[in-house]
Amino acid sequence: MITMSSATSSSNSHADSRFRLPLSALLALAFAGFLTLLTETIPAGMLTQISTGLAVSEAFAGQFVTLYAIGTVLTAIPLISMTRAWPRRHLLLAALTGLLLFNSITALTSNYELALVSRFFAGVAGGVMWGMLAGYARRMVPEHLKGRALAIAGLGSPLALSLGVPLGAWLSQSIGWRFTFAAISLLTIIAIVWVLWRLPNYAGQSTQDKPVSIAMVLANPSLRMVFYVLILWILAHNILYTYIVPYLSPMGLAAQADVVLLIFGVASIAGVWLSGIFIDRMLGRLVFLNLLLFAIAMLCFATLQAQPMLILIAVAIWGLSLGAAPVLLQTACAEAAGAHADVAQSMLVTVWNLALAVGGIVGGVLLQKVGAYSFPWAMLGLLALALVLVQLSKHYAFIKAVNATD
């Protein structure tokens, strides 16, 4: 005999299986994420033009990137915690409006100090946006499609990472750096209209809920394991990515650095696509597989430096791994954090940026003290530790995949 509850469950399951992904809404989130990360990375491609326009050195112009990162790192966690009760679309629109305002100020000002202040607050807006995008995307779909939805909403990240610097270099030569920031502002207006048109609004958490502290969220061992793996993965990546040109120079590939980065970017997009197909069924295995692919690529980098074509293949494998990393780690973070997902995502953004910064520092020290050839070996050590942690995490992180496949 079929009970009413089992009939209802069957009906819900059938409805879920026929659910169509809200592609337009998810792509609106992807576009917002793209603009956020583009705002962060694009100055690196036009430092000469910025330094000339503001009458400062290129080193000072480089602080456009630094101040944005500082704004994100310092404010993402407290602001996401403070705005938990805000309706989600209102918060996203506030972040996009902040991005629009501060990019516009950067485009118009001739005052270097004001430009830096604008970059800091653009980073604040970016941190808020990245802290909420994953939770927003996952709320739009049933349980069995949450990973795929996040993969679509995360498409903006690899696109901005691969296009940001070369796009900045090209646009600054074509229309100037001020008009480049103005163009981003124009695109942000389009994003605001798109969000208003297509995105559903969701309530924030009740103001009567107990405030969520960092210590409370970090008490979750599953979440800590995700952060440990994230630190090792992204730190290893940025050791090489920051200093890719010095590494390529002995192989005669420095002049083709733009081609190398293009291969990396295209492979990153492929990594997002592939992870979106399989993530809801095998999260843990995908994390392990992508870390293993990254390690294999670094082994090629370490031992095949006399074979430039094989190095380019290794670059593609590296890009495939890194492209999958954000969606895999964000999904694992959301799965582990549960009701505290937005606060946990803001912590993930902060940890991610700190890992990037530390990777750049470690890479610089290795370059000065040992040489660029040491990068792959140092990265292999970090990746080996990350692989061990994933294998040990069966009772902590990546629980969903373990239960489904073990």
Side-chain angles (χ1 to χ4, degrees):
M1 180 177 180
I2 299 176
T3 65
M4 184 176 294
S5 62
S6 63
T8 301
S9 176
S10 175
S11 174
N12 290 340
S13 176
H14 182 63
D16 281 354
S17 67
R18 297 177 60 185
F19 183 88
R20 296 183 64 183
L21 282 168
L23 281 177
S24 181
L26 293 171
L27 288 174
L29 291 178
F31 188 47
F34 171 77
L35 292 175
T36 303
L37 206 52
L38 186 66
T39 297
E40 179 175 10
T41 59
I42 204 167
M46 46 191 187
L47 293 184
T48 301
Q49 290 76 17
I50 292 172
S51 67
T52 301
L54 293 176
V56 296
S57 69
E58 286 193 23
F60 279 109
Q63 302 315 303
F64 268 44
V65 178
T66 305
L67 264 293
Y68 185 103
I70 291 173
T72 298
V73 168
L74 291 183
T75 63
I77 296 173
L79 281 180
I80 289 294
S81 298
M82 290 166 56
T83 56
R84 287 185 307 137
W86 286 32
R88 297 296 87 185
R89 190 170 64 181
H90 293 179
L91 182 58
L92 178 59
L93 288 170
L96 282 169
T97 302
L99 207 65
L100 168 64
L101 172 64
F102 295 113
N103 275 333
S104 299
I105 292 173
T106 303
L108 294 171
T109 187
S110 296
N111 183 284
Y112 173 70
E113 289 76 16
L114 179 58
L116 288 187
V117 171
S118 297
R119 290 295 295 171
F120 175 88
F121 283 106
V124 172
V128 170
M129 204 174 310
W130 279 115
M132 66 172 298
L133 281 183
Y136 209 146
R138 288 168 60 85
R139 288 178 74 171
M140 293 185 195
V141 298
E143 187 67 30
H144 71 287
L145 291 174
K146 290 185 182 296
R148 187 171 299 181
L150 183 52
I152 295 170
L155 279 172
S157 176
L159 281 173
L161 286 173
S162 58
L163 295 178
V165 176
L167 189 63
W170 179 72
L171 285 175
S172 65
Q173 294 290 338
S174 303
I175 62 175
W177 69 271
R178 293 186 185 278
F179 280 108
T180 299
F181 277 106
I184 297 175
S185 292
L186 180 60
L187 291 174
T188 306
I189 293 173
I190 294 173
I192 290 171
V193 173
W194 194 350
V195 166
L196 285 169
W197 176 44
R198 299 303 299 174
L199 255 67
N201 200 4
Y202 296 109
Q205 289 182 272
S206 170
T207 54
Q208 297 180 352
D209 290 347
K210 183 180 179 181
V212 180
S213 67
I214 296 175
M216 183 189 305
V217 177
L218 283 178
N220 183 335
S222 299
L223 196 59
R224 291 202 304 270
M225 189 66 76
V226 173
F227 288 160
Y228 295 152
V229 172
L230 183 157
I231 290 168
L232 293 167
W233 198 338
I234 303 308
L235 193 158
H237 159 73
N238 219 41
I239 287 174
L240 179 57
Y241 192 78
T242 304
Y243 302 99
I244 187 65
V245 174
Y247 177 80
L248 295 173
S249 292
M251 292 177 279
L253 292 174
Q256 286 78 46
D258 54 345
V259 176
V260 172
L261 291 174
L262 179 61
I263 292 171
F264 179 90
V266 171
S268 296
I269 296 168
V272 177
W273 177 70
L274 288 171
S275 64
I277 294 174
F278 299 107
I279 190 170
D280 290 302
R281 287 174 286 169
M282 46 186 298
L283 173 61
R285 288 185 177 180
L286 280 179
V287 172
F288 188 86
L289 176 61
N290 278 279
L291 283 169
L292 184 61
L293 286 173
F294 192 0
I296 291 170
M298 290 309 102
L299 188 60
C300 293
F301 272 53
T303 59
L304 299 175
Q305 294 183 1
Q307 304 290 332
M309 290 305 299
L310 294 178
I311 290 296
L312 292 180
I313 294 173
V315 167
I317 296 172
W318 171 29
L320 195 72
S321 164
L322 198 280
V327 65
L328 293 176
L329 292 168
Q330 284 180 310
T331 299
C333 179
E335 293 286 340
H340 305 320
D342 282 350
V343 175
Q345 293 292 336
S346 69
M347 294 169 66
L348 183 144
V349 171
T350 302
V351 173
W352 186 289
N353 279 281
L354 288 174
L356 286 175
V358 173
I361 293 169
V362 172
V365 171
L366 288 173
L367 184 63
Q368 291 292 324
K369 300 294 185 181
V370 187
Y373 69 89
S374 66
F375 292 167
W377 296 112
M379 295 162 71
L380 278 169
L382 294 169
L383 294 170
L385 182 54
L387 286 165
V388 170
L389 287 179
V390 172
Q391 282 298 96
L392 293 176
S393 70
K394 289 190 175 184
H395 300 295
Y396 298 99
F398 320 122
I399 292 170
K400 181 177 178 181
V402 171
N403 288 342
T405 58
D406 282 3

